[in-house]
Amino acid sequence: MAVLLSPRPAVVAAARRAGARTVVVAPDPSVPSDREGAERRVRTDWRDHRHLIGAVGGMEAVRRGRAAVFGFDAAGALAAARANEELGLPGTPTAAVTALMDKAVLRARSNTLHPGRPVSFARCGRAETLPFVATLIGYPCVIKPRAGADGEGVRLVHDEAEARAAALGYPEITDLLVEEYLEGPELTVEALSRGGRHRVLGWSRRLTGPRLTATGHDLPVALDPSTAEAVRALVRGVLDLAGHHDGPSHTEVILTAHGPRLVEAHARPGAEEFGRLLRIAHGTDVLALALAAGLGLPEPVRTPRAAYAGLRYVDFPPGPGPGAVRPGIAAARAVPGVVRVQLEIPPGAAVRRAPTGGLHHAYVLATAPTAGALARILDRAAGLMRPADRRIRQPEGFA
């Protein structure tokens, strides 16, 4: 039985594909319904550990060890790990989840994998000292919260003036990491670990804007055999160093001139849209595989596919929001090759600020027989969704 913490409908559907019975635990009654395959719903605030243990500890499947708790976002992954450990259920160890969340410790550990050319970094505890610390690392450099997730609070600064401006956006007493800017193509890598053996499920090319915000993903990614093996070795090495023995993981890697280098890693799958991309592109069902592995069920049948696939994020400028471009959204869905257009905010919502970090207002997912055709389809569909008379500002906040 899969105990799912505030899952999105895609997670419940993946549990059904994995052949698992499901219990949805959420503080809000508006959780995925029976239409998505949930057999039982429990209303409780799982973010309170005692509440979660009290809500699920008495279930027969839990008492018999025939269940596991799953959380597929940052908070859910940590809560699930703690619950599984206390209840004696299989899952990712809490220590591994927290090790992957601590970017300073993870950077220090990952540097041992390439001692000849480590990534320069330093911690910063007071925002006012950011310009000084950044100067020590050298420009350009990246500032990020030590325990952040999904790109929140990440800044790329090119000089002292930008570092001083960035310092104003953090609390006076803070816990930040300042590290050298890594140049090169970026990959997002999904893996699944069982008994300390790490299986790389797939990767994509992560596209970024001028401020490191993701603009989309493309795959397949053509890598020469030595680079591909170096990427796998880095991911496996990082997971070993974190003590990640079981469960899914999501790792971001940059292919620098000195070899692959870690950006960050997480004890959970990537975002839902990235999972959809891998499933459409070559049949790898990351969520269903993770659920099946955690419950000891047979792996879902994989259906190989050969298409090029990609997604592009779409963000709306401040104003009426997606309701103002509804005809464009309908037109984007009608573009040949478009598989999905997903709105992440209500159609009638007003947008007050641009999104931050890994949050986006919408995305377009498409397939095509060639890389060139894919790029044209995605550009056309994304363009149809953007208002023609208003410029989209750089990310500052999210409504």
Side-chain angles (χ1 to χ4, degrees), residues 130 134 141-145 153-157 162-163 166-167 170 176-179:
L130 266 176
C141 60
V142 177
I143 304 167
K144 60 178 67 172
V154 177
R155 306 275 196 283
L156 171 63
V157 296
E162 288 191 4
Y170 297 103
L176 300 171
L177 197 64
V178 182
E179 56 187 25

Side-chain angles (χ1 to χ4, degrees), residues 21-284:
R21 296 169 50 211
T22 54
V23 173
V24 169
V25 181
D28 190 316
S30 58
V31 295
S33 68
D34 297 340
R35 290 179 303 170
E36 285 80 38
E39 298 175 26
R40 182 176 175 185
R41 290 173 284 175
V42 176
R43 183 177 181 179
T44 193
D45 188 356
W46 54 262
R47 294 165 295 188
D48 184 306
H49 180 66
R50 301 319 315 167
H51 285 176
L52 175 57
I53 297 300
V56 305
M59 295 179 181
E60 182 179 359
V62 172
R63 288 188 287 103
R64 292 176 176 269
R66 298 176 180 174
V69 184
F70 298 89
F72 290 139
D73 60 13
L78 182 57
R82 292 185 64 200
N84 284 325
E85 284 191 341
E86 178 160 339
L87 295 168
L89 302 175
T92 306
T94 302
V97 178
T98 55
L100 292 172
M101 292 173 68
D102 189 330
K103 292 181 173 59
V105 171
L106 191 62
R107 175 60 71 199
R109 290 179 178 178
S110 67
N111 274 345
T112 65
L113 299 173
H114 34 76
R117 185 59 172 83
V119 177
S120 299
F121 75 99
R123 288 180 59 186
C124 177
R126 296 186 68 90
E128 65 183 8
T129 65
L130 266 176
F132 172 73
V133 177
T135 300
L136 292 179
I137 297 299
Y139 296 104
C141 60
V142 177
I143 304 167
K144 60 178 67 172
R146 179 183 173 188
D150 299 322
E152 287 293 336
V154 177
R155 306 275 196 283
L156 171 63
V157 296
H158 297 86
D159 52 38
E160 186 174 348
E162 288 191 4
R164 292 185 184 280
L168 300 176
Y170 297 103
E172 180 182 352
I173 306 298
T174 186
D175 196 356
L176 300 171
L177 197 64
V178 182
E179 56 187 25
E180 69 172 284
Y181 173 61
L182 300 172
E183 295 188 77
E186 185 169 349
L187 303 179
T188 52
V189 185
E190 298 297 291
L192 184 62
S193 304
R194 300 188 72 173
R197 297 178 64 87
H198 313 297
R199 171 185 167 195
V200 172
L201 300 177
W203 55 55
S204 79
R205 171 75 182 273
R206 182 178 186 265
L207 310 177
T208 60
R211 298 192 182 185
L212 304 184
T213 303
T215 59
H217 294 269
D218 283 341
L219 57 81
V221 182
L223 300 179
D224 63 79
S226 62
T227 300
E229 185 51 41
V231 170
R232 293 189 184 95
L234 175 60
V235 170
R236 290 167 178 155
V238 167
L239 296 176
D240 282 340
L241 289 168
H244 183 86
H245 301 295
D246 294 281
S249 62
H250 174 81
T251 306
E252 297 175 8
V253 175
I254 290 183
L255 306 179
T256 75
H258 305 284
R261 294 293 184 269
L262 174 73
V263 177
E264 58 185 48
H266 305 278
R268 55 182 171 83
E272 175 185 318
E273 64 271 16
F274 183 55
R276 291 186 188 277
L277 178 63
L278 285 176
R279 188 175 174 217
I280 288 171
H282 49 69
T284 301

